């Protein structure tokens, strides 16, 4: 699938999703998807802070900032942390649930 280069990207659109997922090799990478959700959450907050009506220049600046490698890496790192927390909680609950069932079996 061809990717848009910076020179031919439509400035009306954000290409953050494409940048977050470009190295996923057409696989569904949960970290990339969570990172994009974090970006969208921040974009909604940004738009709300502008009373729902930011200027086209403000939107372009916002999108350009989130296309910076450091910002993309920050989104991925935050997404990895969230996913790790979810897995730790889920795994911990399974262990507690499993040991409880094991205890009941031997009573």
């Amino acid at each position: 699938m061809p990717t848009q280069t910076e020179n031919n990207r439509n400035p009306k659109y954000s290409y953050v999703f494409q940048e977050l997922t470009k190295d996923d090799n057409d696989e569904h990478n949960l970290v990339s998807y969570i990172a994009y959700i974090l970006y969208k959450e921040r974009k909604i907050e940004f738009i709300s802070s502008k009373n729902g009506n930011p200027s086209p220049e403000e939107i372009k600046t916002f999108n350009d900032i989130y296309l910076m490698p450091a910002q993309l890496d920050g989104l991925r790192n935050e997404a990895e942390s969230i996913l790790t927390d979810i897995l730790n909680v889920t795994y911990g609950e399974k262990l507690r649930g499993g040991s409880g069932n094991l205890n009941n079996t031997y009573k």
Side-chain angles (χ1 to χ4, degrees):
M1 177 169 159
T3 59
Q4 298 268 342
T5 64
E6 264 185 58
N7 296 334
N8 67 359
R9 287 182 173 170
N10 185 332
K12 288 176 60 178
Y13 302 104
S14 165
Y15 290 88
V16 172
F17 182 77
Q18 286 82 354
E19 290 298 315
L20 287 169
T21 61
K22 71 180 180 184
D23 296 326
D24 291 352
N25 300 319
D26 291 329
E27 295 179 12
H28 298 287
N29 183 328
L30 193 53
V31 170
S32 296
Y33 291 164
I34 293 171
Y36 185 67
I37 291 167
L38 293 169
Y39 158 76
K40 291 299 282 188
E41 181 180 61
R42 291 185 181 122
K43 189 170 185 178
I44 290 167
E45 290 169 358
F46 165 74
I47 291 170
S48 294
S49 76
K50 302 293 180 180
N51 295 320
N53 196 21
S55 71
E57 295 82 24
E58 290 172 320
I59 291 172
K60 182 182 179 327
T61 300
F62 178 88
N63 289 334
D64 287 347
I65 288 170
Y66 275 93
L67 285 170
M68 297 173 76
Q71 288 291 336
L72 295 168
D73 289 343
L75 289 169
R76 283 188 196 97
N77 290 339
E78 190 174 347
E80 285 176 3
S81 177
I82 289 168
L83 188 55
T84 298
D85 289 346
I86 290 168
L87 292 173
N88 284 338
V89 167
T90 301
Y91 183 67
E93 287 175 1
K94 286 213 177 266
L95 281 179
R96 282 191 296 278
S99 64
N101 291 339
L102 198 60
N103 288 336
N104 290 336
T105 303
Y106 291 108
K107 285 186 179 180

